Amino acid sequence: MTGPRSVMVPVMDHEIHVTEWGNSTNPPLVLSHAMARTGRDFDELARALSDGYFVLCPDMIGRGLSSWSANPEAEYSIEYYAGISADLMDVYGLDAVSWLGTSMGGLIGMRLASGRDADRIKQLVVNDIGPEVPKTSIDRILSYVGDLPRFAGFNAGEKWLRGAYHPFGPADDEFWQRMARTSLRRTSSGALTLHYDPAITIQFSASADELQSWSRWEQITSPTHVLRGVSSDMLTAEIAARMCVSGPEPKLTEFAGCGHAPSLSRPEDIRIIREILSGRQS
């Protein structure tokens, strides 16, 4: 079966929701989502790649169907997320994986690839994030992530998502309808809101040092490729240029019509990712 299959995995006193795609005998590929998103953001990419990969799309704690933290200051951090990710690989019995991370997911991948689990990241694809996160980008994220909006229905939620995530790039109606179905949850009042714990923003203050990690970038030796939205305010052209001549010295692929961060959901996006993962694009 290609998926999706929804499973709950016990890791570090949490329940981690993972959407699985493809045959478990295929090479493993982890798709790691952005800060206020969920593993379901990769539905289109994961479905397409499930023909040759065992694709795992976890919801990090505080997001989607995974458990929320009772100690946000300690647990909503890149370091802790990396620990969860390594333990998740242990549960699945994976010695090494290909890792594609969008924004926060890219930071987690960089943390893993520069530390004690470096040998487990056999290939790293970083989507629109770097070892330096501009303050202006953080301020923009905080402007809409910190306070959960409320929606009377899915149509209103979909409209909000189209506006807030316009930088994902051009997408058809089916994409946004699917985004609404997988991004919204009911509150006790019956209204809809977004599928995350608003306390996740504490990482910007409690562990701000993790957002400036050039020293870690320099330690990465895994084959690495960087993706960037042409109009991104998160991965600026200057930061991307520095990344390409330091650390793993990755190649860079830019996506026109996108800011932060390319959704990687369109047929042409998927073709590019398939080529990068297979080594046909260097």
Side-chain angles (χ1 to χ4, degrees), residues 54-76:
F54 178 41
V55 188
L56 301 175
C57 303
D59 297 342
M60 189 45 67
I61 56 170
R63 288 87 169 171
L65 298 179
S66 291
S67 55
W68 290 15
S69 175
N71 187 6
E73 187 167 321
E75 296 186 350
Y76 288 158

Side-chain angles (χ1 to χ4, degrees), residues 151-162 180 184 192 194:
F151 312 110
F154 274 85
N155 287 340
E158 180 188 329
K159 182 178 179 180
W160 186 93
L161 288 164
R162 285 175 181 259
L184 303 177
L192 292 164
L194 298 173

Side-chain angles (χ1 to χ4, degrees), residues 186-200:
R186 294 283 177 188
T187 66
S188 59
S189 69
L192 292 164
T193 191
L194 298 173
H195 230 319
Y196 65 84
D197 178 358
I200 58 175

Side-chain angles (χ1 to χ4, degrees), residues 62-124:
R63 288 87 169 171
L65 298 179
S66 291
S67 55
W68 290 15
S69 175
N71 187 6
E73 187 167 321
E75 296 186 350
Y76 288 158
S77 71
I78 300 301
E79 179 181 11
Y80 198 84
Y81 301 155
I84 285 178
S85 300
D87 280 11
L88 193 62
M89 286 188 272
D90 289 342
V91 172
Y92 277 93
L94 305 177
D95 294 328
V97 304
S98 295
W99 184 285
L100 187 157
T102 292
S103 194
M104 182 190 77
L107 292 175
I108 298 170
M110 287 188 277
R111 177 88 185 198
L112 289 167
S114 62
R116 64 183 182 183
D117 294 293
D119 291 344
R120 306 184 76 173
I121 305 300
K122 69 176 185 179
Q123 185 177 17
L124 177 63

